[in-house]
Amino acid sequence: MGKLFIVPTPIGNLEDMTFRAVRVLQEVDFILAEDTRTSGKLLKHFEITTQMHSHHMHNEHKTLQMIVDRIKHGENAALISDAGTPAISDPGFLLTRACVEENIEVDCLPGATAFVPALVNSGLPNDKFIFEGFLPVKKGRQTRLKLLAEETRTMIFYESPHKLLKTLQHLIDYFGEERQASVSREISKLHEETQRGNLKEVLNYYTQKPPKGEIVLIVDGKK
């Protein structure tokens, strides 16, 4: 029986790719990539020629059994996402669960993920925290925010740049404008930035300076 490797890839700076990640991607029988065009650039940079297949949220249900069967018949597979650790707000959970259910060994390599440096950089308490990922866009958003308004642990959110202002305003509506927060964007990239302050101050900053790039929003818990 083969094995499934979960392989984190850099979220920006290619120097964050580990030696082990490169070796695993070179040695497996095939690679499952969220976007083969994006991952193709990464593989080319590290001179990795392993066969690559598309595996994303729109086809993962259809291809799941085929992948499991290949691994059960002795092939080793590696799963990567466009950036960061697979299954963290990216495809990966369904395949991992299917492999576990079939007693296939799963090996998740340590590596890049956006929320850890953002949490540490925030200066907010990080002994206890919760990862919320992306808030619901419409249905369930208000219900979730009402529950989180009483959360005492530091909260971690992912957000797209064109929705950040709306989300900050919603957080002010439910948490109050004095709640401390931190916005990290373009982590490990050339124009990396972390903006700290209360929610009102952060909203004012990005109202005057529209955000770009990948964003991690850290919000203090209720005191």
Side-chain angles (χ1 to χ4, degrees), residues 131-177:
F131 175 73
E132 284 291 315
F134 290 95
L135 283 167
V137 177
K138 293 181 180 178
K139 186 177 180 181
R141 188 179 181 94
Q142 292 184 350
T143 301
R144 192 71 202 147
L145 287 171
K146 287 179 181 178
L147 289 172
L148 291 174
E150 301 301 316
E151 176 60 61
T152 58
R153 295 167 293 182
T154 301
M155 292 163 276
I156 304 170
F157 304 93
Y158 283 170
E159 191 53 276
S160 60
H162 66 279
K163 294 180 180 177
L164 178 63
L165 296 183
K166 182 178 179 180
T167 294
L168 287 170
Q169 184 59 59
H170 285 166
L171 291 173
I172 289 173
D173 294 341
Y174 287 90
F175 296 3
E177 63 181 32

Side-chain angles (χ1 to χ4, degrees), residues 25-147:
L25 294 179
Q26 289 172 335
E27 293 178 352
V28 293
D29 295 290
F30 62 98
I31 297 170
L32 302 166
E34 185 179 3
D35 187 325
T36 54
R37 294 167 299 181
T38 299
S39 296
K41 299 174 184 176
L42 177 75
L43 299 191
K44 183 178 180 180
H45 178 83
F46 289 104
E47 299 180 349
I48 298 168
T49 58
T50 307
Q51 185 182 38
M52 185 167 45
H53 301 288
S54 179
H55 183 78
H56 48 73
M57 63 181 294
H58 301 296
N59 75 350
E60 57 183 339
H61 288 87
K62 297 179 181 179
T63 60
L64 198 62
Q65 193 57 52
M66 177 192 70
I67 296 168
V68 169
D69 289 342
R70 289 184 64 175
I71 299 174
K72 288 176 70 174
H73 283 87
E75 293 187 81
N76 290 319
L79 174 66
I80 60 178
S81 64
D82 289 348
T85 301
I88 304 298
S89 293
D90 275 326
F93 164 69
L94 291 178
L95 179 57
T96 301
R97 181 177 64 180
C99 286
V100 170
E101 290 174 348
E102 294 288 342
N103 293 315
I104 293 171
E105 185 177 355
V106 178
D107 189 353
C108 182
L109 278 62
T113 188
F115 77 78
V116 173
L119 174 62
V120 174
N121 281 341
S122 72
L124 295 173
N126 55 30
D127 55 332
K128 294 181 180 180
F129 58 88
I130 59 167
F131 175 73
E132 284 291 315
F134 290 95
L135 283 167
V137 177
K138 293 181 180 178
K139 186 177 180 181
R141 188 179 181 94
Q142 292 184 350
T143 301
R144 192 71 202 147
L145 287 171
K146 287 179 181 178
L147 289 172

